[in-house]
Amino acid sequence: DQQVKQNSPSLSVQEGRISILNCDYTNSMFDYFLWYKKYPAEGPTFLISISSIKDKNEDGRFTVFLNKSAKHLSLHIVPSQPGDSAVYFCAARYNNNDMRFGAGTRLTVKP
Amino acid sequence: KAGVTQTPRYLIKTRGQQVTLSCSPISGHRSVSWYQQTPGQGLQFLFEYFSETQRNKGNFPGRFSGRQFSNSRSEMNVSTLELGDSALYLCASSLVQTRTAEAFFGQGTRLTVV
């Protein structure tokens, strides 16, 4: 039962350009959304989050957009840097602490 | 301050055996969650413990169990191992048990079942 979906397994962008990672969810009970970044041989690290009462949250080069009616969120990275190359996971919560994750999108930023 | 520590880092087991994985959360954190990561499936929630009690459980068979001790350290046990249990098992700790609490992950335990 995949309640959170990341339909693009991979994305490749040029350094300096915008990276847009997408995520869809099916459970309308979700009211808090997070993005995690994962490098090989490391655990995921928290990147940015957004509450369902907002439609945008910005933190430096990272912006998360939430479209509740479409049950869709996206992560924008501007400008993209080679160090951003990693697997990005979208996650959602509605019940305390457990998170439902998507399958991840592998971002490659080319110099 | 030390991060989330998971032991062992790597493990090879035979089908039918059982295995116990350990997670030490960040000092002061009382919530510990476990996730299974497999290629193409992302991270799937196993269970969450808070104050030594299981608070939430994902959609995994009863072969997967866990517990939390009074010092918040947690263990996860898988009995009667199957080949499909081969995965990276990740533990995450949070200060409190709220939706907005940031979860910090350990490096994981890579389990291979042969």
Side-chain angles (χ1 to χ4, degrees):
Chain A
D1 176 17
Q2 202 71 11
Q3 298 182 56
V4 179
K5 297 178 183 178
Q6 292 177 257
N7 293 319
S8 299
S10 63
L11 174 68
S12 181
V13 299
Q14 209 64 38
E15 181 179 6
R17 298 290 189 101
I18 183 172
S19 295
I20 300 176
L21 298 104
N22 294 303
C23 177
D24 297 292
Y25 61 96
T26 56
N27 191 336
S28 57
M29 297 285 288
F30 288 137
D31 63 358
Y32 197 76
F33 304 89
L34 310 93
W35 284 93
Y36 278 80
K37 179 169 74 171
K38 186 178 186 302
Y39 293 117
E42 293 183 14
T45 54
F46 170 76
L47 201 53
I48 192 169
S49 62
I50 187 168
S51 165
S52 61
I53 62 173
K54 295 185 175 183
D55 54 18
K56 177 183 173 182
N57 188 26
E58 192 172 350
D59 183 3
R61 297 186 297 114
F62 303 90
T63 303
V64 56
F65 295 91
L66 175 62
N67 182 334
K68 277 187 297 183
S69 60
K71 295 192 179 68
H72 176 85
L73 64 156
S74 60
L75 174 69
H76 293 210
I77 306 174
V78 183
S80 301
Q81 299 172 354
D84 296 328
S85 296
V87 177
Y88 289 78
F89 290 98
C90 165
R93 276 176 171 156
Y94 68 92
N95 178 24
N96 295 318
N97 230 347
D98 69 273
M99 289 183 282
R100 308 294 161 151
F101 283 85
T105 297
R106 181 177 300 280
L107 172 67
T108 303
V109 180
K110 298 179 178 177
Chain B
K1 131 171 130 171
V4 178
T5 305
Q6 291 188 247
T7 56
R9 289 291 311 278
Y10 303 93
L11 206 48
I12 300 175
K13 289 285 188 177
T14 305
R15 267 182 305 174
Q17 285 187 312
Q18 68 94 27
V19 67
T20 299
L21 311 181
S22 179
C23 173
S24 293
I26 291 173
S27 178
H29 284 196
R30 295 168 62 195
S31 171
V32 174
S33 300
W34 288 89
Y35 295 85
Q36 181 195 65
Q37 184 187 5
T38 53
Q41 291 292 317
L43 283 77
Q44 297 191 74
F45 172 72
L46 280 153
F47 26 66
E48 181 206 1
Y49 286 87
F50 184 79
S51 294
E52 301 177 64
T53 303
Q54 188 180 91
R55 303 290 177 152
N56 290 297
K57 191 175 190 305
N59 206 19
F60 277 81
R63 300 185 296 107
F64 291 80
S65 63
R67 58 179 176 167
Q68 186 180 33
F69 301 95
S70 58
N71 61 358
S72 293
R73 190 178 72 85
S74 178
E75 287 181 348
M76 190 192 98
N77 185 277
V78 188
S79 62
T80 321
L81 284 165
E82 300 176 359
L83 294 179
D85 296 333
S86 295
L88 179 67
Y89 289 89
L90 290 159
C91 163
S93 79
S94 300
L95 186 62
V96 292
Q97 195 199 19
T98 65
R99 290 197 315 286
T100 58
E102 182 179 340
F104 296 83
F105 282 85
Q107 290 182 290
T109 294
R110 171 75 62 186
L111 172 65
T112 301
V113 182
V114 297

